[in-house]
Amino acid sequence: MIRLAEKKDIVSINDIYNQAVAARFETADIDPISYADRLKWYDLHNKTRYPVFVYEIDEKVVAWLSISPYRQGRMALRNTAEISYYVDKKYVRQGIGSQLISHGLSESKKLNYSVLIAIVLDRNNASMNILEKHGFTAWGRLPGVADFKGEICGHVYYGINLSEKPCKNSYLHFITE
């Protein structure tokens, strides 16, 4: 079941995120995030514009997805948001991430976002594959920007246009491979 996250879910959300930190190359954090920092993060996500969703199995949170501001405060980007998603390692490859992304896309349309961005480390093939499965394409690459204590990798910007009227002459897709 997918539902809006509540404060009671923060421990589970943070535990799942810190699994990604420990796995390396699944998030750009290299040290675990504290409960206090996750609580601040949660408080910045209001349920009406920047929701956080959790996926539950038997009343246990096993995954989550957030819709966050992209370049907050820059009004020309107010209809663009960033999505992030994480699945507990015990529940990967069961379609949960895919269900969350589908839900996030649907909710983003309801919130009138025209563009969604996902920023992925270039070693995270699983995340790149699932984004592509849901219609995201690679829009940009920042090579060598992430330093994992001497191991360097890049960021790949994935995007999807949700708008019925994409901007003409836009350079939304600015890389080719």
Side-chain angles (χ1 to χ4, degrees):
M1 170 178 103
I2 297 173
R3 63 168 174 78
L4 278 170
E6 301 171 17
K7 282 200 177 186
K8 69 177 183 167
D9 301 318
I10 294 172
V11 170
S12 297
I13 288 168
N14 205 44
D15 287 347
I16 293 166
Y17 183 82
N18 283 332
Q19 288 178 4
V21 173
R24 296 182 53 173
F25 307 111
E26 293 179 9
T27 179
D29 282 308
I30 56 177
D31 295 313
I33 302 301
S34 71
Y35 174 82
D37 286 340
R38 182 59 63 196
L39 182 59
K40 290 176 195 172
W41 169 88
Y42 177 80
D43 287 341
L44 292 174
H45 285 80
N46 74 56
K47 293 178 182 186
T48 57
R49 187 68 178 153
Y50 301 110
V52 177
F53 298 100
V54 294
Y55 189 105
E56 280 186 325
I57 296 176
D58 298 326
E59 298 183 19
K60 177 184 179 186
V61 173
V62 300
W64 60 272
L65 177 139
S66 62
I67 299 172
S68 303
Y70 177 74
R71 306 288 310 258
Q72 190 166 11
R74 292 183 167 93
M75 289 308 293
L77 299 171
R78 69 190 173 281
N79 296 320
T80 299
E82 179 182 348
I83 67 161
S84 300
Y85 45 88
Y86 296 88
V87 179
D88 184 303
K89 298 299 179 204
K90 296 175 192 156
Y91 294 88
V92 296
R93 301 181 97 58
Q94 296 180 29
I96 294 169
S98 196
Q99 289 178 57
L100 270 173
I101 291 171
S102 291
H103 185 78
L105 287 167
S106 175
E107 291 297 314
S108 294
K109 288 177 185 176
K110 290 177 190 174
L111 292 167
N112 294 316
Y113 287 113
S114 56
V115 173
L116 279 185
I117 303 287
I119 306 169
V120 182
L121 291 163
D122 64 9
R123 293 190 186 187
N124 191 342
N125 291 322
S127 194
M128 291 187 281
N129 289 339
I130 196 169
L131 287 168
E132 290 170 5
K133 174 183 168 186
H134 287 278
F136 285 79
T137 55
W139 285 356
R141 184 177 306 278
L142 303 175
V145 297
D147 182 348
F148 287 83
K149 299 180 181 176
E151 289 188 68
I152 308 298
C153 70
H155 257 163
V156 180
Y157 275 66
Y158 274 84
I160 189 168
N161 192 325
L162 304 173
S163 174
E164 296 293 320
K165 299 178 185 175
C167 179
K168 290 184 180 180
N169 299 321
S170 175
Y171 292 103
L172 287 176
H173 184 95
F174 58 88
I175 68 168
T176 57
E177 302 203 55

